[in-house]
Amino acid sequence: MGLKSDPSEGPVRTFVKGFLTGFIEAIICYPTEFVKTQLQLQSKTNPEYSGIMDCAKKTVNKNGFMGLYRGAAPLIIGSSGKQAARWTGYQTVANQFKDEKGNISIPARMFAGACGGVSEAVLAVTPIETLKTRVTDDMRRGTGNYSGSLDACVKILKNDGPAGLYRGVVPTIAKQATNQAVRFPTQFYFLKFMVGDDKEKQKNPIYNGLAGAVAGAVSVLVTMPQDTVKTRMQGEEAKKLYKGTVDCAMQIMKNEGPAFFYAGTWPRMIRVSLDVGITFCIFPLLSKYI
């Protein structure tokens, strides 16, 4: 992060700030995540939607505006936990690599980011996104298996056990670790590119948010294939269709071609840029109150 750590910053304070940051960010950004997931789940040979706007329009026409928030509850809760795990993991590891002046090298910053990514993948992202994907896929198919996120959670645990919520954990860990290994250094150096060594501007939430948005866009391009595999692995029919992560990736490559790994790139880029930009904007603001 471009911001210097407050001397009073501790893991508990970082956890609380991360939790609130994730809650606010998720409410703002969820509709773009919903659209991205729908585009990734549809068949390439018989697509239901022609693009981002078509998907959003058809969803609103069929289910009303709140249809864009179907399956949002677990992601909003999970986003709060995700950000808490991410920031706590990152800051804890990053602090171990800082020199006497508080500086940290690029490899160390990337490693700390990756550790934050693994933390959020295991503690929050995988089970929450499994629920979101299953509920979204169920609505897309019109199968009516779940009445909502809580119902889906209960039924998945009953039928598949806890492992059912961790389907796709391998590509999720790969995606989140790569995401944060890219985002934290990119945000830091783009912020420095914009404001130089001006310490006051480095603390400015707007500059931090802009640098975060750029970092988010870069990370999408790097991790889109993992995200597509993860989404497929968490779909309703994944257990029947794929033997595992590698088999899923190979089937996508064989049946739909390499370009399909980037299905839903634009809605995800919009969502992630907003997500990361808002995150790096809100987090420092909360330091004034927490």
Side-chain angles (χ1 to χ4, degrees), residues 5-274:
S5 295
D6 189 311
S8 66
E9 191 84 54
V12 174
R13 187 165 177 246
T14 300
F15 185 92
V16 172
K17 287 164 59 181
F19 188 91
L20 292 175
T21 297
F23 183 82
I24 297 167
E25 168 270 315
I27 291 175
I28 296 171
C29 298
Y30 184 79
T32 57
E33 175 68 16
F34 177 90
V35 170
K36 184 269 297 183
T37 302
Q38 292 279 44
L39 291 175
Q40 286 180 323
L41 289 170
Q42 70 178 349
S43 168
K44 182 182 179 183
T45 55
N46 187 30
E48 186 177 353
Y49 310 111
S50 61
I52 301 171
M53 295 306 297
D54 182 56
C55 178
K57 182 178 178 181
K58 285 181 178 177
T59 299
V60 171
N61 288 342
K62 184 178 180 180
N63 301 295
F65 178 76
M66 292 308 295
L68 293 172
Y69 279 88
R70 181 73 186 273
L75 196 73
I76 290 174
I77 296 170
S79 181
S80 303
K82 174 183 73 175
Q83 293 280 5
R86 175 193 301 173
W87 285 100
T88 305
Y90 171 76
Q91 294 279 31
T92 300
V93 176
N95 287 340
Q96 305 305 310
F97 288 99
K98 289 180 179 178
D99 61 22
E100 61 278 1
K101 295 181 180 179
N103 298 319
I104 180 172
S105 67
I106 296 177
R109 195 178 291 276
M110 291 180 70
F111 179 72
C115 289
V118 172
S119 297
E120 66 181 358
V122 174
L123 297 175
V125 177
T126 302
I128 293 305
E129 290 211 356
T130 294
L131 286 175
K132 178 220 45 171
T133 302
R134 294 282 286 269
V135 170
T136 301
D137 200 14
D138 178 55
M139 187 180 79
R140 183 183 67 85
R141 293 169 176 272
T143 45
N145 291 329
Y146 311 120
S147 60
S149 302
L150 181 60
D151 182 52
C153 183
V154 171
K155 288 180 177 176
I156 291 170
L157 287 173
K158 182 179 179 181
N159 297 328
D160 303 319
L165 292 175
Y166 275 86
R167 188 182 298 164
V169 66
V170 174
T172 303
I173 288 175
K175 185 191 80 167
Q176 296 306 123
T178 306
N179 268 339
Q180 305 315 325
V182 170
R183 288 176 190 170
F184 279 100
T186 302
Q187 193 274 346
F188 176 81
Y189 287 104
F190 193 77
L191 175 65
K192 199 167 185 179
F193 170 76
M194 288 193 297
V195 304
D197 294 321
D198 188 319
K199 303 301 180 184
E200 287 305 309
K201 287 184 178 180
Q202 285 180 3
K203 297 178 183 179
N204 186 294
I206 302 302
Y207 284 121
N208 272 278
L210 289 172
V214 172
V218 172
S219 71
V220 166
L221 297 176
V222 176
T223 63
M224 199 64 213
Q226 298 100 301
D227 187 70
T228 298
V229 173
K230 180 230 26 145
T231 299
R232 282 293 183 88
M233 286 293 292
Q234 293 172 334
E236 277 290 274
E237 299 296 313
K239 198 172 182 179
K240 300 176 183 177
L241 296 173
Y242 312 118
K243 298 175 183 177
T245 302
V246 176
D247 181 57
C248 177
M250 290 179 68
Q251 286 198 41
I252 293 173
M253 177 69 77
K254 179 181 177 181
N255 299 328
E256 291 157 303
F260 195 80
F261 283 110
Y262 285 85
T265 295
W266 281 112
R268 183 176 175 232
M269 185 173 287
I270 293 169
R271 186 253 192 272
V272 170
S273 294
L274 278 172

